[in-house]
Amino acid sequence: MENLILKSTESTPLIDFNLTNNLLRIKGESYPENPAEFYLPILEWLENYLKQLSQPSTIEFLIEYLNSSSCIAFIRLMELFDKYFQDGKNLTINWYYHPENEMSLEYGQLFQSDLKIPFNIKEV
Amino acid sequence: MNIQEFDMMLNQSFSFKEQMNQKGVLLCYEGDISQKIIEDIGRIIKHNIEVNANPILMRRLFGIFIEQAQNILHYSTDEKFDEYDNEDLKKAVAILGKNGNDKYYMITGNLVTKSQQKNLSLLLEEIKKLSRKELMDLYVRKVKTGSIVKGKGGGVGLLEIARFASEPLEYTINDIDDNFSYFIMKAVIKGRN
């Protein structure tokens, strides 16, 4: 497997998934025209990564804005992390938000509900 | 166009601009809608000096614009409507403005087919009946069960707009001909909660 790194664009976030330190970072804004086109390959990479994972892994989010269809894609991401956590993988999610961005905090709270995986919401 | 005609048009456009200023218009766009254009207008909304000074207001106005503009984009590129082959489906009007001291509004206008019109009015009438709490619950349910396939959000975009707005959404639909109607929607957002 190789690291997955996608630079941020005006409407897609930075994807920085690093295999050497098992730190997965998603940072920025997300409102692509076609969220399936952007997120399906990411979900596929994650599925392969989580399957073979034996070390602890941390997933960090710093999200400024999500349109509604990206929000649906994020639910899929969270469900995937939660599934592997419940299968015994050592996973932690850290959701960071800027204090003036109430929307980002609300997204964190929305994703946090219904999940078993450790999900920390932290002000930056 | 000769220079005299240009001069006359310029004068007309200044008087139109004056009328818009009196109505509190901060931004007015009329033209094609594409993802690139949506991103550009989104950036202008975010960097509007007055809007930018209030981060909560800025993010709500930005979110409402993005959702509605992408709704228009998705409907205009939906294969189902290819039979109409009407380029005007890809055009829209978007107006951001201010009412009095503390209320901002986003008005969008676009051509819709009769079948879109039916879906839109059903959904908007359903949203109208919901309390704030019911609106949030329905939004959360739709997000949690939604599909990420393009344009298949099941109306979650309109729920997002209703949830960002401080007042119930207003809309009108005017018949154009047998195939098309013109849809106008207004969302009001308070500067302070």
Side-chain angles (χ1 to χ4, degrees):
Chain A
M1 271 196 94
E2 284 180 22
N3 293 343
L4 180 65
I5 295 164
L6 303 172
K7 283 186 184 163
S8 65
T9 70
E10 188 78 27
S11 60
T12 56
L14 165 78
I15 304 293
D16 180 1
F17 294 171
N18 191 324
L19 295 168
T20 46
N21 58 6
N22 289 303
L23 178 63
L24 314 181
R25 294 193 309 140
I26 303 185
K27 187 170 181 272
E29 296 193 313
S30 181
Y31 57 103
E33 178 177 1
N34 187 346
E37 195 178 270
F38 185 74
Y39 285 103
L40 290 180
I42 293 171
L43 285 161
E44 197 188 323
W45 188 98
L46 284 170
E47 184 95 53
N48 290 329
Y49 167 78
L50 293 166
K51 234 184 276 171
Q52 55 80 50
L53 183 70
S54 56
Q55 303 288 316
S57 179
T58 305
I59 308 109
E60 287 186 1
F61 291 94
L62 178 54
I63 296 298
E64 302 293 334
Y65 171 69
L66 290 177
N67 71 347
S68 55
S69 49
S70 296
C71 197
I72 294 171
F74 268 54
I75 295 275
R76 297 291 99 79
L77 288 176
M78 302 302 172
E79 285 169 350
L80 186 66
F81 292 131
D82 202 47
K83 182 183 111 186
Y84 279 92
F85 172 77
Q86 295 199 48
D87 281 353
K89 305 287 180 180
N90 188 340
L91 301 173
T92 305
I93 294 177
N94 291 325
W95 182 274
Y96 294 96
Y97 71 98
H98 291 293
E100 86 288 351
N101 191 343
E102 59 157 21
M103 214 182 260
S104 179
L105 169 62
E106 284 168 11
Y107 288 127
Q109 289 164 340
L110 169 69
F111 299 136
Q112 189 183 41
S113 62
D114 303 342
L115 297 183
K116 300 275 190 298
I117 185 170
F119 192 113
N120 308 304
I121 298 183
K122 300 177 181 181
E123 214 177 278
V124 188
Chain B
M1 168 158 64
N2 65 38
I3 198 153
Q4 284 77 21
E5 286 170 333
F6 177 75
D7 191 38
M8 205 170 82
M9 277 189 68
L10 203 59
N11 277 326
Q12 284 169 353
S13 83
F14 283 143
S15 86
F16 180 61
K17 178 132 195 321
E18 191 51 40
Q19 284 174 41
M20 301 279 260
N21 286 344
Q22 283 165 11
K23 294 280 177 200
V25 172
L26 301 170
L27 169 85
C28 178
Y29 176 79
E30 192 280 320
D32 289 335
I33 287 288
S34 68
Q35 174 69 14
K36 179 73 179 65
I37 287 169
I38 291 172
E39 291 171 11
D40 290 344
I41 299 172
R43 208 183 306 117
I44 294 170
I45 293 171
K46 277 198 247 172
H47 293 289
N48 177 284
I49 292 170
E50 189 168 334
V51 170
N52 189 264
N54 182 340
I56 293 175
L57 171 73
M58 182 267 277
R59 287 179 206 289
R60 287 183 184 170
L61 285 169
F62 176 77
I64 286 173
F65 171 74
I66 297 291
E67 290 298 336
Q68 185 52 13
Q70 288 188 327
N71 273 343
I72 295 168
L73 183 63
H74 290 153
Y75 275 122
S76 72
T77 55
D78 194 322
E79 307 87 90
K80 274 195 308 236
F81 305 120
D82 268 2
E83 57 185 297
Y84 293 107
D85 193 29
N86 193 323
E87 283 300 303
D88 289 336
L89 285 173
K90 293 188 180 69
K91 292 187 190 299
V93 175
I95 296 171
L96 164 65
K98 192 181 181 185
N99 266 347
N101 273 335
D102 197 39
K103 278 184 181 176
Y104 292 79
Y105 59 86
M106 176 73 70
I107 298 175
T108 53
N110 63 293
L111 201 65
V112 293
T113 63
K114 293 291 174 188
S115 64
Q116 286 171 241
Q117 173 196 329
K118 206 174 136 219
N119 292 338
L120 277 167
S121 47
L122 278 173
L123 197 55
L124 284 162
E125 286 307 311
E126 189 192 332
I127 290 174
K128 246 188 204 173
K129 291 184 202 130
L130 303 175
S131 68
R132 202 78 198 163
K133 163 100 178 46
E134 289 168 332
L135 178 65
M136 285 304 294
D137 290 349
L138 182 60
Y139 168 78
V140 169
R141 202 163 68 233
K142 289 239 184 184
V143 164
K144 288 193 172 174
T145 58
S147 161
I148 61 171
V149 177
K150 188 175 160 185
K152 296 279 184 296
V156 69
L158 278 178
L159 287 166
E160 181 92 308
I161 294 169
R163 154 183 116 82
F164 287 152
S166 316
E167 295 175 7
L169 299 176
E170 291 171 51
Y171 71 99
T172 62
I173 297 172
N174 298 318
D175 279 338
I176 302 277
D177 57 29
D178 288 346
N179 294 326
F180 297 104
S181 302
Y182 202 81
F183 172 66
I184 298 172
M185 186 169 72
K186 179 181 179 185
V188 174
I189 307 97
K190 281 187 195 150
R192 281 184 294 270
N193 283 334

